[in-house]
Amino acid sequence: MSFTVAIVGRPNVGKSTLFNRLAGKKLALVDDTPGVTRDWRSADGHVGGLSFTIVDTAGLEDVTDDSLEARMRRQTEQALERADVALFLIDARSGVTPLDRHFARLLRRSKTPVILVANKAEGKVGMPGLFEAFELGLGDPVPLSAEHGEGMADLVEALLPYAPKDEAPAPRGRRGRAAKEPEPATLDEVEGIGDQPEPEEEKAKPIHVAIVGRPNVGKSTLLNGLIGEERVLTGPEAGMTRDAIAVDWTWRDRPFRLVDTAGIRRRARVDEKVEKLAVADALRVIRLAQVVVLVVDADQILDKQDLTIARMVIDEGRALVLAVNKWDAVENRALALKEVEDKLQASLAQARGMQVVTISALRKQKLDTLLDAVLQTYEVWNRRVPTAQLNRWLSGVLEHHPPPLVEGRRLKIRYMTQVKTRPPTFALFVNKPMDLPESYQRYLVAGLRDTFDVPGVPLRLVLRKRKNPFAES
């Protein structure tokens, strides 16, 4: 993108709504509760022919201590410093508040240019607040309605001076068109994947890694430790992360897109609407990730909720890596590793051979080992087995352990082929697919996993029946 636009303002003035409007997708969580956004997040923005990077930030609070609000403010200031221009939002319906005046004074001293935006200015209710905005000393306010898409032509006109000359759109009438209603975020916007990209293309594309787990297990600390900066908020408070925050990053010349997600608690314990939205966002990221790193606490390794999340990842067909965090605090490590092994064998047999890495995100211990495990698992997830090798193996299996009899007759397994990767999926052609026992299917899957070295990733077997070429159509 050619330039960066940061959206700032006090809580609940519509920053995330405007972010979604400019991004064209519902990426940021939006609710009437103040303070929903805590970490800044970015996306590609487009409006009126302009293209830029749009940054959503947390609401500004007048605090300077080490509280959560103060840390959120420092995150916003960090995003503001990186921006080429800032949109300072006020609520036209509420008018100019003392907090607006306070931050207007700070923004006037900032090195980043500021455009004053009066949001929620539709109708006559917002007119008094729009006139009050002139007193902030930040120039003429731009009236708009982020929710309804009104006033976008005026916003384009205000942003034009900050766009590169060769990318500036052709002049348009002031009325213009309202920006389109944001659509639900899709695979591409939430760190999604293609079906089966070519190998040479694959090396240039980032590996999409989702970091998931229960609240307060160290997911955000892990993201910060990997990229080497305080990109997302961390602290002792559980449930701090709400929006799924994506960070583009390169390690050993390999591009990654790391996504930090909200902690996923048991459904019965999720009461607040904002937490429900955050958990839904985390589940969406899991569905659209490539590799999922499940972070667990070394003091409570693979409890019931951890196993529920792991099964969810496997059911979605994603590659899974287990990161046991806070390992530096474990006293009997041999016993803890044995506990992990037993639980995986008993409860996650469908991902036998999963990579398990013991780390300390806070001390940045064994993070390179974790990334090596991610790359190895990603490679297995993309593995393809030639059809000739599959059928030679299948012939040997059928000879030594044929399928059981059904109504006194032997089932006939014709052949097998791999129909897709990500995850590896195999089609088995049988004369009576509905009669092949589940136990024999599990036997075949275990044999595939061992023979062709496909450990730790979901492996799917699809039963098919060959069409009779002489049957009437």
Side-chain angles (χ1 to χ4, degrees), residues 351-355 377 380-381 383 449 452-458:
R352 185 161 54 90
M354 180 198 313
Q355 296 263 15
T377 303
V380 173
W381 191 59
R383 185 160 297 167
R449 195 182 295 280
F452 298 106
D453 191 24
V454 193
V457 300

Side-chain angles (χ1 to χ4, degrees), residues 349 351-354 380 383 385 390 393 397 426 442-457 459:
R352 185 161 54 90
M354 180 198 313
V380 173
R383 185 160 297 167
V385 182
L390 274 175
W393 167 81
V397 169
F426 300 88
R442 290 195 297 269
Y443 166 72
L444 291 177
V445 169
L448 284 169
R449 195 182 295 280
D450 293 337
T451 304
F452 298 106
D453 191 24
V454 193
V457 300
L459 200 156

Side-chain angles (χ1 to χ4, degrees), residues 39 71 211 216-237 240-241 258 260-261 295 325-326 359-365 367 370:
D39 295 286
R71 282 175 277 157
I211 303 174
N216 217 28
V217 295
K219 300 182 296 298
S220 298
T221 304
L222 174 58
L223 176 63
N224 289 340
L226 288 171
I227 66 176
E229 66 173 281
E230 295 298 315
R231 173 61 181 84
V232 289
L233 288 172
T234 59
E237 301 92 343
M240 185 172 298
T241 302
L258 306 175
D260 184 26
T261 63
V295 183
N325 193 24
K326 307 177 185 178
I359 65 170
S360 172
L362 185 62
R363 298 178 182 272
K364 301 181 181 180
Q365 294 175 354
L367 299 190
L370 176 62

